[in-house]
Amino acid sequence: DVKVTQSSRYLVKRTGEKVFLECVQDMDHENMFWYRQDPGLGLRLIYFSYDVKMKEKGDIPEGYSVSREKKERFSLILESASTNQTSMYLCASSPPARESAFFGQGTRLTVV
Amino acid sequence: QKEVEQNSGPLSVPEGAIASLNCTYSDRGSQSFFWYRQYSGKSPELIMSIYSNGDKEDGRFTAQLNKASQYVSLLIRDSQPSDSATYLCAVNSGGSNYKLTFGKGTLLTVNP
């Protein structure tokens, strides 16, 4: 089975802090994604990566950056956390071509 | 902006009935279509994928795709209370890099 593991299930951070969310997958997938999910807004793509050191902006990249130094690991960075970044963050990975994505368990981030 | 539309629900059906979930998408170039199930507080899990026009059956689930109408649906036969969840439609619009666009989901409640 594909396993996508996010480093934290719950996280509370203060406004202005730099926040790192880590994601690791064990299936040698080329593609990795970061989404946030908010009530009424659904899943929105923040960034995705299709190869090591390669990244593309998704629909809502503002206030976020990413890092992919190794194929299995994709990090989401909140440069200066704000209360409007309180959300559920979901990491996913997928092989290339037409296949579906597999999700981690999610990190519920609260910024106070 | 590529869009995926779903009725938000809630859709309520009695136990044993057929639940019908619908999804439309805007990008005619879309190549792959997926249904995810998401229980409250959990991450999405893949339940069906479909790539060509017609029906695809897997146990109690049937996915239907009509590319001419840009429409994909999910039928759940013999609905069970354990099927109560939010169902997310996801579409891969193809291209050189893989990227999924999600609908906002339909909340299904199966009443015993």
Side-chain angles (χ1 to χ4, degrees):
Chain A
D1 278 354
V2 175
K3 191 154 187 184
V4 181
T5 303
Q6 295 182 229
S7 54
S8 303
R9 187 74 179 91
Y10 299 95
L11 212 51
V12 180
K13 294 293 182 180
R14 293 195 179 278
T15 301
E17 275 193 75
K18 191 168 186 176
V19 181
F20 294 86
L21 302 183
E22 307 285 344
C23 176
V24 176
Q25 51 98 0
D26 67 357
M27 285 302 291
D28 201 35
H29 285 167
E30 283 77 5
N31 303 309
M32 295 189 75
F33 310 84
W34 277 105
Y35 291 88
R36 65 177 281 178
Q37 187 174 33
D38 301 286
L41 298 177
L43 275 163
R44 294 180 291 167
L45 182 64
I46 304 171
Y47 268 97
F48 69 102
S49 168
Y50 50 92
D51 201 351
V52 175
K53 297 189 188 293
M54 305 303 288
K55 61 186 179 185
E56 282 198 21
K57 293 180 180 179
D59 300 318
I60 51 163
E62 297 78 19
Y64 303 95
S65 62
V66 291
S67 172
R68 193 165 180 202
E69 297 296 320
K70 293 185 178 181
K71 191 174 185 179
E72 67 271 18
R73 187 179 297 270
F74 192 34
S75 302
L76 179 69
I77 302 154
L78 285 66
E79 299 292 342
S80 177
S82 64
T83 54
N84 63 13
Q85 292 178 311
T86 292
S87 186
M88 170 70 89
Y89 289 87
L90 290 159
C91 175
S93 75
S94 78
R98 309 192 304 172
E99 299 306 314
S100 61
F102 298 89
F103 285 86
Q105 77 275 30
T107 296
R108 185 164 294 282
L109 173 67
T110 302
V111 182
V112 297
Chain B
Q1 181 84 349
K2 296 168 184 173
E3 294 183 347
V4 178
E5 302 283 345
Q6 296 180 251
N7 289 328
S8 61
L11 173 65
S12 183
V13 301
E15 184 174 355
I18 296 175
S20 178
L21 303 159
N22 304 314
C23 172
T24 59
Y25 58 95
S26 63
D27 184 5
R28 282 198 172 275
S30 299
Q31 298 180 357
S32 311
F33 307 85
F34 308 97
W35 284 99
Y36 286 80
R37 177 177 62 201
Q38 186 175 26
Y39 293 115
S40 181
K42 303 293 186 182
S43 59
E45 58 175 324
L46 178 71
I47 53 172
M48 289 289 288
S49 58
I50 187 165
Y51 305 104
S52 55
N53 281 329
D55 295 359
K56 179 182 177 183
E57 187 174 318
D58 183 0
R60 295 187 296 111
F61 298 97
T62 299
Q64 299 174 317
L65 175 61
N66 184 326
K67 289 187 178 180
S69 300
Q70 295 175 242
Y71 177 90
V72 58
S73 66
L74 179 71
L75 300 178
I76 307 175
R77 289 183 300 282
D78 188 25
S79 295
Q80 301 297 309
S82 58
D83 296 325
S84 297
T86 296
Y87 289 80
L88 303 170
C89 174
V91 176
N92 171 16
S93 296
S96 59
N97 293 319
Y98 175 91
K99 185 175 146 181
L100 273 180
T101 302
F102 284 83
K104 293 181 180 178
T106 298
L107 176 62
L108 171 67
T109 301
V110 181
N111 301 304

